[in-house]
Amino acid sequence: MATILLIEDEVTVRETLALNLRAEGFEVFTAADGMTGLDLARDESPDLIIMDLMLPKLDGLSICRIVRKDSDVPIIMLTARGTEMDRITGFETGADDYVVKPFSLGELMARVRANLRRARAGQPVQTTRLTATDLTLDLLARRANLRGDELKLTYREFDLLAELMRNQGAVLSRDLLLNSVWGFDYVGDSHTVDVHIRWLREKIELEPSSPRRIMTVRGVGYRFEG
Ligand code: CA
């Protein structure tokens, strides 16, 4: 039986979640503030931690940082603040997943099971978010955010940018990009990649004519710098 530590100061949320997690067969420890939560994380070595971002005594991000120093336990962060910047900070401090309030119980339970499954399989939790300074891609929601604003990308532009960001610093050939973004059966030539790169630059570069993020590597392809 997996044990779950739930750190949440809102009593209704805490009790509802605890009740439902127990009904699913989990052993649940609860804490109403950050300090108690951190103590329980150390003493009980839970299999998964669900914690609120805003907590009395010690906030969720601080707990994340401390726990991550010696544990890979999956952490699901709950937050009422749904802005992109908060999410980015959460991931940078080591949260594996992020659920924005109000959320459905079904959604949270699905995330709990998915994170436990991945942790048991010894695999890193699937990346759901790619970040490069002020640019973020949410791979699940297929949303892009640049400098705090939503960035409108077409389907291909999104996939192309995701592929570049996943391989930050590496040179990707036009053929490789064509295969991974458009698929092996795509009928077209590598000029398609160049056209989409130009469109992407117009959207994410401060000066599209002298790009700093998506660099051209002459005779080879493209490299995402950050
Ligand atoms: Ca709270």
Side-chain angles (χ1 to χ4, degrees), residues 8-9 52 54:
E8 166 63 82
D9 58 318
D52 191 23
M54 305 299 283

Side-chain angles (χ1 to χ4, degrees), residues 9 13 32 53 55 57 60 100-101 105 108 123 178 184 196-197:
D9 58 318
V13 177
L53 176 61
L55 288 164
K57 296 187 186 169
V100 179
K101 295 178 188 174
L105 213 47
L108 183 70
Q123 292 162 350
L178 202 60
F184 285 95
H196 281 78
I197 290 282

Side-chain angles (χ1 to χ4, degrees), residues 15-51:
E15 287 181 353
T16 307
L17 282 184
L19 190 74
N20 282 275
L21 288 165
R22 285 183 183 121
E24 292 274 317
F26 297 112
E27 186 179 356
V28 184
F29 298 97
T30 60
D33 68 79
M35 288 305 289
T36 310
L38 187 60
D39 286 344
L40 282 171
R42 282 175 171 164
D43 296 345
E44 305 295 343
S45 301
D47 297 303
L48 182 140
I49 300 175
I50 302 171
M51 70 168 97

